[in-house]
Amino acid sequence: MTTPDSPPAPGTPQPPQKDHGRAGRDLPAAVGSAVVLVSAILLSLFFWKTAFMGIVAVAVAVAVWELHRGLSAKDIDLPEQPLMLGGVVMVVVAYFWGAPALVTATAVTALVVMLWLLRRGVDGYVKNATASVFTLVYVPFLASFVALLLAEGGHDPAFGFDVDDDGVRGVITFIAIVIASDTGGYVAGVLFGKHPMARVISPKKSWEGFAGSMVATIAVGVWLVTSFLGGDWWVGVILGVITAVMATLGDLCESVIKRDLGIKDMSQVIPGHGGLMDRLDSLLATVAPIWLVLYYLVF
């Protein structure tokens, strides 16, 4: 007897997968989801920037859930509760108390997770502990650099958008330049992509797409740094190059993880995109170097 969630019996005809052509995704759904996500981010930044930390905390929790779900394909069982709670704490302390507090919170969370796993016994301890620390660094630690970036403008609890807030402008620049990388790479790849960068890892990612990402990020980087942040044009070039390279590497790393786990998407929580991690890969890979460049060369 099969249930609605049971896998189909061998030989059962499978429903045909919808062909989205070279786009590789349901474009209207993808655009609609992106508009909703970006709108939520901008509204939180414009009306009460501290609320944006709530969005980051929720994203961390969902990403940990997705990694738990994906890693279970290899019989790896992440301890979700301490990872989620510790991840949220890391984001909060980074925002209010800075990088030293983030380092301390990361170390404490890692120790708590390893102690938590002791309750399960010896079998699988090293495997689960290693995957847990990997998850801790990959998701909440890197995501906490968004909190460090936003904190550059202080922690004023007042409502309303302050155009002079370095943190808000930094976060908007970070999100915009990563979107430019994804969009430029996607359009150039669909229109001109012929030479795969890493055929085994991600067959649809091409050198032409990477060139499109590079052009888009440099253009947007120079524009935002000079007109929005008041910095020098060459800082925008550096920001664009770093973003294109790191966003591409982040996407490739996420593809390697999914191929190793034998899954296509981490989940289906975002229509047209798949899982949240499928969209966070570029953001997580770029936020730390972007914060570093802005901190030393602009702020």
Side-chain angles (χ1 to χ4, degrees):
M1 178 178 181
T2 61
T3 65
D5 295 327
S6 300
T12 303
Q14 298 296 308
Q17 297 295 319
K18 187 174 181 180
D19 183 12
H20 298 295
R22 295 190 69 181
R25 68 175 70 170
D26 185 348
L27 199 55
V31 171
S33 299
V35 169
V36 171
L37 291 173
V38 172
S39 298
I41 291 170
L42 292 178
L43 285 173
S44 66
L45 289 172
F46 285 169
F47 289 102
W48 185 34
K49 74 172 194 175
T50 304
F52 178 62
M53 288 297 93
I55 295 178
V56 176
V58 171
V60 166
V62 173
V64 169
W65 169 77
E66 286 188 344
L67 281 173
H68 176 269
R69 181 176 179 270
L71 290 170
S72 64
K74 293 291 186 179
D75 296 323
I76 299 173
D77 187 11
L78 295 180
E80 286 182 297
Q81 295 87 345
L83 282 172
M84 288 181 179
L85 179 59
V88 171
V89 170
M90 288 162 61
V91 169
V92 171
V93 301
Y95 179 63
F96 286 106
W97 294 289
L102 170 60
V103 172
T104 302
T106 303
V108 171
T109 302
L111 290 172
V112 169
V113 167
M114 288 188 287
L115 291 173
W116 185 283
L117 288 171
L118 287 176
R119 305 184 310 162
R120 300 180 182 176
V122 175
D123 188 36
Y125 179 84
V126 172
K127 176 176 65 176
N128 292 327
T130 303
S132 297
V133 174
F134 163 77
T135 300
L136 185 69
V137 174
Y138 185 31
V139 179
F141 180 73
L142 292 180
S144 294
F145 279 86
V146 180
L148 294 178
L149 186 57
L150 186 62
E152 291 297 328
H155 314 111
D156 186 357
F159 290 82
F161 174 64
D162 182 2
V163 72
D164 295 323
D165 189 304
D166 286 340
V168 172
R169 291 187 297 167
V171 169
I172 292 175
T173 298
F174 155 61
I175 293 174
I177 199 168
V178 174
I179 290 176
S181 175
D182 288 347
T183 304
Y186 176 74
V187 172
V190 168
L191 295 179
F192 310 111
K194 292 181 179 179
H195 301 88
M197 292 185 70
R199 189 182 301 274
V200 175
I201 298 173
S202 183
K204 292 185 178 181
K205 187 166 291 296
S206 64
W207 285 107
E208 291 82 2
F210 177 69
S213 292
M214 187 70 72
V215 170
T217 53
I218 291 176
V220 172
V222 170
W223 172 57
L224 287 174
V225 169
T226 56
S227 64
F228 192 47
L229 299 180
D232 297 319
W233 66 269
W234 54 269
V235 177
V237 174
I238 293 174
L239 204 64
V241 172
I242 288 176
T243 300
V245 172
M246 296 306 298
T248 300
L249 291 176
D251 187 57
L252 289 174
C253 287
E254 181 72 7
S255 296
V256 167
I257 292 171
K258 290 188 292 186
R259 284 189 173 276
D260 186 29
L261 297 176
I263 57 178
K264 184 179 185 297
D265 295 312
M266 285 295 182
S267 73
Q268 295 294 330
V269 298
I270 306 179
H273 291 272
L276 184 62
M277 281 300 300
D278 298 302
R279 298 278 63 83
L280 288 181
D281 49 12
S282 299
L283 294 166
L284 291 173
T286 55
V287 63
I290 286 178
W291 171 77
L292 195 66
V293 170
L294 295 181
Y295 181 81
Y296 284 104
L297 300 181
V298 176
F299 300 145

